[in-house]
Amino acid sequence: MPRGPGTFYDRVIKRAFDVTVASAAVAALSPMLVGIAIVVRRKHGSPVFFRQRRTGRHCAPFDILKFRTMTNERDAYGALLPDRQRTTAFGRWLRSTSLDELPELVNVIRGEMSLVGPRPLLHHYVARYNEEQKRRHECRPGLTGWVGVNGRNTTTWEERFEMDRYYRENLGPWLDARILVRTVLTVIGRRGIDPGFADQMPEFMGIEAARS
């Protein structure tokens, strides 16, 4: 079977698999999703979901959905406190188990994401990519991906873009299956989540920063 973006596997088979599995997962996990939403509302306030503009396929913007892991606490001057201070114990647990990312299943159903693909990055990064880095968006972004099972947030930007290139060039059913299996093991082992604090990566500033 031909590999890469735009193939029959990518356009038809992969999309059908995404919708089927994501829809079934939302239905099966709905009691847990409701339970998490209730706890998030009580501990972190409203809204329950964190929305952030990310970049999708062909550089189209979309809003990613996650459970909130931080409060809206502010200092005496009305400015938000640092992330570390606003992240609750429950929020840290959500991140360490990757349960905060379950709402992204809705993004998958809507076609903004895939179960497997390069992780969606902040949309304003697009202007900082070189042409090769921008090609990561030939693929639909994923709930998990090759980066996620090879170090996740402990990798450098240069390593991430190289892994995105590898995925793009080798996109196919066997690689996707391998990533899904390894994702389960990675989440169970809670590996590669913390680069220093929570799941925050240093901001991507451009080509030179990606090499550092």
PDB file of all heavy atoms in Angstrom, residues 4 27 58 62 68 96 106 120 140 162 170:
ATOM      1  N   GLY A   4       2.156   7.759   2.870  1.00  0.00           N
ATOM      2  CA  GLY A   4       2.259   9.202   2.861  1.00  0.00           C
ATOM      3  C   GLY A   4       0.916   9.893   2.840  1.00  0.00           C
ATOM      4  O   GLY A   4      -0.132   9.266   2.670  1.00  0.00           O
ATOM      5  N   ALA A  27     -18.590   7.372  23.428  1.00  0.00           N
ATOM      6  CA  ALA A  27     -19.762   6.693  23.981  1.00  0.00           C
ATOM      7  C   ALA A  27     -19.381   5.832  25.182  1.00  0.00           C
ATOM      8  O   ALA A  27     -20.041   5.865  26.228  1.00  0.00           O
ATOM      9  CB  ALA A  27     -20.416   5.837  22.897  1.00  0.00           C
ATOM     10  N   HIS A  58      -3.007  21.461   6.277  1.00  0.00           N
ATOM     11  CA  HIS A  58      -2.863  22.563   5.322  1.00  0.00           C
ATOM     12  C   HIS A  58      -2.842  23.917   6.032  1.00  0.00           C
ATOM     13  O   HIS A  58      -3.276  24.923   5.464  1.00  0.00           O
ATOM     14  CB  HIS A  58      -3.970  22.509   4.277  1.00  0.00           C
ATOM     15  CG  HIS A  58      -4.081  21.186   3.575  1.00  0.00           C
ATOM     16  ND1 HIS A  58      -3.000  20.538   3.010  1.00  0.00           N
ATOM     17  CD2 HIS A  58      -5.156  20.364   3.379  1.00  0.00           C
ATOM     18  CE1 HIS A  58      -3.401  19.387   2.487  1.00  0.00           C
ATOM     19  NE2 HIS A  58      -4.692  19.255   2.705  1.00  0.00           N
ATOM     20  N   PHE A  62      -7.659  25.728  14.092  1.00  0.00           N
ATOM     21  CA  PHE A  62      -8.820  25.165  14.781  1.00  0.00           C
ATOM     22  C   PHE A  62      -8.584  25.290  16.273  1.00  0.00           C
ATOM     23  O   PHE A  62      -7.461  25.538  16.720  1.00  0.00           O
ATOM     24  CB  PHE A  62      -9.045  23.694  14.386  1.00  0.00           C
ATOM     25  CG  PHE A  62      -8.051  22.728  14.986  1.00  0.00           C
ATOM     26  CD1 PHE A  62      -8.347  22.016  16.143  1.00  0.00           C
ATOM     27  CD2 PHE A  62      -6.808  22.526  14.392  1.00  0.00           C
ATOM     28  CE1 PHE A  62      -7.429  21.134  16.690  1.00  0.00           C
ATOM     29  CE2 PHE A  62      -5.889  21.642  14.938  1.00  0.00           C
ATOM     30  CZ  PHE A  62      -6.191  20.945  16.091  1.00  0.00           C
ATOM     31  N   ARG A  68      -9.583  21.527  31.567  1.00  0.00           N
ATOM     32  CA  ARG A  68      -8.747  22.512  32.241  1.00  0.00           C
ATOM     33  C   ARG A  68      -7.982  21.863  33.383  1.00  0.00           C
ATOM     34  O   ARG A  68      -8.512  21.042  34.121  1.00  0.00           O
ATOM     35  CB  ARG A  68      -9.603  23.657  32.785  1.00  0.00           C
ATOM     36  CG  ARG A  68     -10.069  24.628  31.714  1.00  0.00           C
ATOM     37  CD  ARG A  68     -10.872  25.748  32.335  1.00  0.00           C
ATOM     38  NE  ARG A  68     -10.087  26.470  33.338  1.00  0.00           N
ATOM     39  CZ  ARG A  68     -10.635  27.190  34.322  1.00  0.00           C
ATOM     40  NH1 ARG A  68     -11.938  27.248  34.461  1.00  0.00           N
ATOM     41  NH2 ARG A  68      -9.858  27.825  35.165  1.00  0.00           N
ATOM     42  N   SER A  96      -0.619  13.979  33.951  1.00  0.00           N
ATOM     43  CA  SER A  96       0.282  12.826  34.032  1.00  0.00           C
ATOM     44  C   SER A  96      -0.358  11.563  33.468  1.00  0.00           C
ATOM     45  O   SER A  96       0.334  10.670  32.988  1.00  0.00           O
ATOM     46  CB  SER A  96       0.708  12.584  35.484  1.00  0.00           C
ATOM     47  OG  SER A  96      -0.365  12.113  36.275  1.00  0.00           O
ATOM     48  N   VAL A 106     -13.344  14.775  20.337  1.00  0.00           N
ATOM     49  CA  VAL A 106     -14.331  15.578  19.601  1.00  0.00           C
ATOM     50  C   VAL A 106     -13.677  16.224  18.390  1.00  0.00           C
ATOM     51  O   VAL A 106     -14.263  16.284  17.301  1.00  0.00           O
ATOM     52  CB  VAL A 106     -14.952  16.646  20.521  1.00  0.00           C
ATOM     53  CG1 VAL A 106     -15.888  17.562  19.737  1.00  0.00           C
ATOM     54  CG2 VAL A 106     -15.699  15.985  21.672  1.00  0.00           C
ATOM     55  N   PRO A 120      -0.648  18.807  17.173  1.00  0.00           N
ATOM     56  CA  PRO A 120      -0.971  20.168  16.723  1.00  0.00           C
ATOM     57  C   PRO A 120      -0.283  21.214  17.590  1.00  0.00           C
ATOM     58  O   PRO A 120      -0.400  21.192  18.814  1.00  0.00           O
ATOM     59  CB  PRO A 120      -2.500  20.224  16.888  1.00  0.00           C
ATOM     60  CG  PRO A 120      -2.801  19.239  17.972  1.00  0.00           C
ATOM     61  CD  PRO A 120      -1.798  18.131  17.799  1.00  0.00           C
ATOM     62  N   ARG A 140      -2.957  15.390   8.821  1.00  0.00           N
ATOM     63  CA  ARG A 140      -3.885  15.848   9.848  1.00  0.00           C
ATOM     64  C   ARG A 140      -3.223  15.647  11.214  1.00  0.00           C
ATOM     65  O   ARG A 140      -2.637  14.599  11.460  1.00  0.00           O
ATOM     66  CB  ARG A 140      -5.189  15.056   9.759  1.00  0.00           C
ATOM     67  CG  ARG A 140      -6.290  15.572  10.669  1.00  0.00           C
ATOM     68  CD  ARG A 140      -7.588  14.800  10.464  1.00  0.00           C
ATOM     69  NE  ARG A 140      -8.315  15.267   9.295  1.00  0.00           N
ATOM     70  CZ  ARG A 140      -8.493  14.574   8.178  1.00  0.00           C
ATOM     71  NH1 ARG A 140      -7.986  13.363   8.069  1.00  0.00           N
ATOM     72  NH2 ARG A 140      -9.162  15.070   7.170  1.00  0.00           N
ATOM     73  N   GLU A 162      12.203  16.421  13.009  1.00  0.00           N
ATOM     74  CA  GLU A 162      12.747  15.275  12.294  1.00  0.00           C
ATOM     75  C   GLU A 162      11.809  14.075  12.412  1.00  0.00           C
ATOM     76  O   GLU A 162      11.591  13.340  11.441  1.00  0.00           O
ATOM     77  CB  GLU A 162      14.133  14.920  12.845  1.00  0.00           C
ATOM     78  CG  GLU A 162      14.775  13.698  12.199  1.00  0.00           C
ATOM     79  CD  GLU A 162      14.953  13.821  10.695  1.00  0.00           C
ATOM     80  OE1 GLU A 162      15.062  14.964  10.185  1.00  0.00           O
ATOM     81  OE2 GLU A 162      14.964  12.765  10.026  1.00  0.00           O
ATOM     82  N   ASN A 170       6.477   8.104   6.037  1.00  0.00           N
ATOM     83  CA  ASN A 170       6.184   6.690   6.256  1.00  0.00           C
ATOM     84  C   ASN A 170       4.747   6.434   6.706  1.00  0.00           C
ATOM     85  O   ASN A 170       4.428   5.326   7.150  1.00  0.00           O
ATOM     86  CB  ASN A 170       7.151   6.122   7.298  1.00  0.00           C
ATOM     87  CG  ASN A 170       8.583   6.096   6.813  1.00  0.00           C
ATOM     88  OD1 ASN A 170       9.013   5.190   6.103  1.00  0.00           O
ATOM     89  ND2 ASN A 170       9.336   7.136   7.173  1.00  0.00           N
TER      90      ASN A 170
END
